[in-house]
Amino acid sequence: DIQMTQSPSSLSASVGDRVTITCRASQGISNSLAWYQQKPGKAPKLLLFAASRLESGVPSRFSGGGSGTDYTLTISSLQPEDFATYFCQQYYSTPLSFGGGTKVEIK
Amino acid sequence: EVQLVQSGAEVKKPGESLKISCKHSGYSFTSSWIGWVRQMPGKGLEWMGIIYLGDSDTRYSPSFQGQVTISADKSINTAFLQWSSLKASDTAMYYCARPRGGWPNYFDYWGQGTPVTVSS
């Protein structure tokens, strides 16, 4: 099974800050990685897939990168609506697995 | 418009059985998969299993194999998640979600979630 380690588990940032979240897989996943945003009491929302492809309707301030085992989600200029929890997910093999989540809080 | 609409909140006692549902609309039910994801209070996301709606081919995460049963009814465009004997540790939010394209894949549409509380 592939383990996904996400860091940090939480961070505090201000509106306008650049924020980067990291996700590390226990083995190579060939860019089969998605990122989700979840707000309290809501279902997760797909942001990016294939490591760097932006889902339709998602603002361009969100971007993804990486390869092999190491991947990143970057928010170029944090907006008030971006305060949420972010999860990565590998779909390279089953069982599917998610990172533990990163809670982005207001500084 | 694709929609996944889940059944409402449940409060049960340990040992009771439960079946929750996920009704789809807006796409071809029989040519798609529907998965289930657990989120325990304050915790992360865990993939439980998935069913192919065309022929009910079902796959389970090893962590949930034997603990739950996933099924579907094509006639009413609905997938189900059921427990035969609930435990307090089954208290969680349960989401159904559709993987885009084939399987395995990422999930592009999610239900609103069904909160399940198991308490004596």
Side-chain angles (χ1 to χ4, degrees):
Chain A
D1 297 2
I2 298 175
Q3 312 303 318
M4 304 300 292
T5 304
Q6 203 173 322
S7 61
S9 57
S10 65
L11 65 90
S12 295
S14 301
V15 172
D17 283 353
R18 181 182 181 90
V19 167
T20 297
I21 297 167
T22 297
C23 194
R24 173 166 288 176
S26 59
Q27 65 186 74
I29 57 172
S30 297
N31 290 0
S32 298
L33 186 95
W35 289 97
Y36 300 89
Q37 177 194 66
Q38 188 179 33
K39 296 184 177 180
K42 299 293 187 181
K45 172 189 173 184
L46 177 67
L47 297 177
L48 296 107
F49 58 95
S52 61
R53 295 185 63 183
L54 202 64
E55 175 68 354
S56 176
V58 174
S60 59
R61 62 181 179 272
F62 291 92
S63 64
S67 63
T69 60
D70 296 330
Y71 298 87
T72 58
L73 169 69
T74 297
I75 309 172
S76 60
S77 177
L78 202 62
Q79 298 302 300
E81 60 268 29
D82 300 337
F83 291 95
T85 300
Y86 295 84
F87 294 94
C88 61
Q89 178 225 325
Q90 67 81 17
Y91 51 97
Y92 180 74
S93 69
T94 57
L96 300 188
S97 47
F98 294 85
T102 296
K103 186 173 184 179
V104 177
E105 299 176 300
I106 301 172
K107 183 183 282 184
Chain B
E1 180 194 3
V2 176
Q3 281 195 310
L4 298 174
V5 179
Q6 297 185 230
S7 50
E10 300 277 0
V11 179
K12 292 288 191 179
K13 293 182 172 9
E16 292 186 332
S17 62
L18 175 64
K19 192 173 188 178
I20 63 174
S21 65
C22 171
K23 185 176 176 65
H24 96 99
S25 62
Y27 70 101
S28 174
F29 185 80
T30 57
S31 62
S32 186
W33 298 80
I34 290 287
W36 289 94
V37 175
R38 182 175 79 174
Q39 187 168 37
M40 299 178 77
K43 302 297 184 184
L45 304 168
E46 302 171 270
W47 174 66
M48 303 176 70
I50 195 157
I51 188 165
Y52 182 67
L53 305 173
D55 62 5
S56 292
D57 179 14
T58 308
R59 318 282 176 85
Y60 293 93
S61 165
S63 298
F64 292 92
Q65 179 84 46
Q67 307 305 307
V68 296
T69 301
I70 295 171
S71 60
D73 185 336
K74 289 190 289 188
S75 68
I76 55 172
N77 296 351
T78 301
F80 302 97
L81 176 66
Q82 69 181 89
W83 295 259
S84 58
S85 181
L86 286 160
K87 301 184 283 287
S89 56
D90 292 318
T91 294
M93 180 72 83
Y94 293 89
Y95 293 102
C96 64
R98 186 192 80 164
R100 176 172 289 164
W103 176 254
N105 219 329
Y106 54 91
F107 297 105
D108 60 353
Y109 286 96
W110 293 67
Q112 82 277 20
T114 296
V116 173
T117 302
V118 184
S119 175
S120 54

